[in-house]
Amino acid sequence: MSSSTKNEISFILNELGEEREMYFNAISPPIIQTSNFAFKKVDDLRKAFEDESECHKNTGYLYSRGMNPTVEILRKKLAALDGAEDCLVFNSGAAAIFAGVFANVKAGDHIVSVKAPYTWAQRLFEVILPKFGIETTYIDGTKIENWENATRKNTVMYYLESPNSWDFAMQDLKVVAHLAKEKNILTFIDNSYCTPLYQPVIEMGIDLAMQTATKYISGHSDTMGGVLSGSAAMIKKIFQSEYLNIGSGIQPFNAWLLIRGLRTLPTRLDRITKTTELVFHYLKKHSKIEKVIFPFDADFAQYELAKKQMSGACGLMTFILKTKKLEDIVGFCESLQHIMMAVSWGGHESLIIPKCAGMKIDEFNADNIEHRYIRLYVGLEEADYLIEDFEHAFNAIP
Ligand SMILES: *Cc1c(COP(=O)(O)O)cnc(C)c1O
């Protein structure tokens, strides 16, 4: 990342969107905790009804299901970080996925998606969209010819997630975006692992970029949120239908927490990147470990691509113990004393989650390596603190 870009990020996180003279020059913005806003003129109210997406710039805010001043500050910062014309901030990442996909498909359409995307994207493709006659084909997105081959006359969207948050499978973003443009197909990516700081996907030609704000942007495991960035026209279209209709926009207090989280986002990512590196090397050479999956490992299958399109990799990795026994995997996870067992990631606290927790005990098949996956998220603790904890848990298993 060039230093001018870094300066730009400092400006975005500390100043952009903050009109402090409007609120007593307070450094921290106010939480405008209101549902509605008053008008003095019928004509102004009429204009606000006519275009709710722009009214705050002209006649004033209307209703917080649409626009709210605290949320506006966050929107400006997140759109700028993504290098996008505009963005919307939702109450969760799942809501952002739902709105972004739903707004761009109609009955009879077809989607090509990477296999095993985030769970709630899968549910959308497998449970909800089929009710409206929309089909999805899953492909191994690592090979460009698979995108081409799965494309039909009625394909309207390529759904990407790069890297995947369990096995880190990646897509060559510029190449897929190029192919999609040739075929007039919309590209939608889940960019949650990298954030735009490590992977500026809009710049790479992707049309619609989603990231969960619950993870790295919040950074403190205390709020949820989701971001959808794209062209002004696309964001306006989604605002006027799905965003207002589902009513899944972020609440002012949660937006305020995300603004606070953003202040330290680059600092936290830097710190986590350094700690991850140390923990990765410790795990990789451990005698009880069979394999560690991490995109910036020179042994990773798509290492070249990772280095080409990501300026960093941090936090998440997946490892597999040599033992094939379920009871050992369980024993290992339950022996950790500081690293907690929980879903999610991106907060201050290191976390672990074993894949086997997501299946019934009799479904566990030790010969399927994926069933033995243990995903680690490295938080803000000292590397030695985490390594000592691992040492203890390794000693608890044969
Ligand atoms: C957590 C997550 C989401 C969903 O975000 P929520 O804020 O939990 O709704 C989407 N994609 C990935 C890769 C995630 O890890």
Side-chain angles (χ1 to χ4, degrees):
M1 197 179 290
S2 75
S3 65
S4 70
T5 318
K6 282 193 173 172
N7 289 348
E8 227 173 277
I9 289 170
S10 290
F11 172 75
I12 293 169
L13 301 185
N14 290 291
E15 289 160 81
L16 181 67
E18 297 179 78
E19 296 171 52
R20 296 190 166 104
E21 63 282 8
M22 302 274 287
Y23 39 84
F24 312 105
N25 295 306
I27 300 292
S28 169
I31 304 165
I32 308 289
Q33 187 70 20
T34 187
S35 55
N36 46 358
F37 300 83
F39 286 75
K40 286 216 159 41
K41 300 276 184 204
V42 172
D43 207 37
D44 286 346
L45 186 54
R46 182 178 298 115
K47 281 186 195 130
F49 283 140
E50 276 166 12
D51 189 353
E52 202 173 331
S53 70
E54 301 288 338
C55 66
H56 60 292
K57 296 176 193 159
N58 310 311
T59 53
Y61 286 90
L62 176 71
Y63 194 47
S64 283
R65 173 150 41 76
M67 296 282 168
N68 170 282
T70 309
V71 177
E72 275 304 289
I73 297 172
L74 179 64
R75 263 183 81 198
K76 289 199 178 108
K77 289 181 189 297
L78 288 171
L81 267 192
D82 254 321
E85 287 176 2
D86 205 354
C87 81
L88 288 170
V89 191
F90 292 80
N91 227 346
S92 72
I97 294 173
F98 191 97
V101 173
F102 215 76
N104 288 293
V105 291
K106 60 178 189 327
D109 283 345
H110 175 245
I111 298 169
V112 178
S113 167
V114 291
K115 66 176 183 203
Y118 181 66
T119 315
W120 295 96
Q122 284 182 46
R123 299 279 166 90
L124 175 60
F125 296 145
E126 293 169 20
V127 179
I128 296 175
L129 294 185
K131 291 201 276 191
F132 303 95
I134 299 152
E135 257 188 281
T136 302
T137 304
Y138 290 127
I139 58 160
D140 170 0
T142 63
K143 297 191 181 68
I144 187 68
E145 61 270 24
N146 293 346
W147 293 92
E148 179 108 53
N149 293 339
T151 303
R152 302 180 192 163
K153 277 206 178 63
N154 59 341
T155 304
V156 295
M157 180 183 288
Y158 285 169
Y159 186 90
L160 301 91
E161 183 180 324
S162 188
N164 177 285
S165 66
W166 274 91
D167 64 7
F168 308 99
M170 298 187 311
Q171 302 94 57
D172 190 323
L173 301 184
K174 283 189 180 159
V175 174
V176 177
H178 183 78
L179 176 72
K181 286 222 160 56
E182 268 179 12
K183 296 181 180 295
N184 204 18
I185 289 168
L186 185 91
T187 44
F188 184 133
I189 192 169
D190 182 339
N191 194 29
S192 295
Y193 176 83
C194 280
T195 83
L197 292 186
Y198 281 170
Q199 188 167 261
V201 293
I202 297 277
E203 194 178 287
M204 294 164 143
I206 300 290
D207 297 312
L208 203 46
M210 173 270 160
Q211 57 172 322
T212 167
T214 310
K215 314 283 167 64
Y216 282 127
I217 294 175
S218 153
H220 297 77
S221 302
D222 54 9
T223 183
M224 305 201 67
V227 192
L228 201 54
S229 295
S231 70
M234 169 63 78
I235 294 303
K236 187 163 180 164
K237 169 177 113 162
I238 297 171
F239 173 81
Q240 286 173 330
S241 55
E242 285 70 19
Y243 187 84
L244 281 174
N245 225 316
I246 306 169
S248 54
I250 193 151
Q251 297 296 302
F253 179 61
N254 290 348
W256 183 86
L257 285 172
L258 293 177
I259 293 167
R260 188 171 69 155
L262 273 178
R263 311 279 195 209
T264 56
L265 177 65
T267 313
R268 286 184 284 108
L269 289 187
D270 273 357
R271 158 86 180 189
I272 293 168
T273 299
K274 291 191 182 98
T275 315
T276 300
E277 180 83 15
L278 297 169
V279 173
F280 164 73
H281 286 295
Y282 161 78
L283 288 175
K284 180 147 172 152
K285 61 178 198 301
H286 200 283
S287 61
K288 287 183 180 170
I289 289 264
E290 180 175 317
K291 189 179 174 186
V292 185
I293 312 175
F294 181 60
F296 273 19
D297 174 8
D299 293 334
F300 179 65
Q302 293 178 291
Y303 176 69
E304 297 301 324
L305 179 60
K307 283 286 184 183
K308 189 180 91 177
Q309 68 185 15
M310 293 159 51
S311 58
C314 73
L316 291 183
M317 68 184 85
T318 293
F319 59 89
I320 299 113
L321 300 175
K322 277 188 182 153
T323 175
K324 287 191 155 188
K325 290 198 189 120
L326 183 59
E327 69 208 53
D328 291 342
I329 298 172
V330 170
F332 177 84
C333 292
E334 292 180 356
S335 298
L336 292 163
Q337 292 179 330
H338 303 302
I339 301 170
M340 289 180 272
M341 187 155 45
V343 296
S344 198
W345 44 277
H348 54 91
E349 77 292 8
S350 292
L351 296 172
I352 206 149
I353 184 160
K355 192 95 179 177
C356 64
M359 60 189 71
K360 297 202 170 69
I361 290 172
D362 57 8
E363 283 168 4
F364 178 80
N365 171 9
D367 293 325
N368 182 342
I369 192 164
E370 287 182 23
H371 289 194
R372 294 192 283 134
Y373 280 0
I374 299 175
R375 190 179 74 185
L376 167 68
Y377 165 68
V378 175
L380 293 170
E381 304 93 333
E382 292 295 331
D384 283 347
Y385 183 73
L386 302 175
I387 288 170
E388 266 177 38
D389 201 19
F390 275 126
E391 208 49 40
H392 173 82
F394 280 124
N395 288 335
I397 58 166

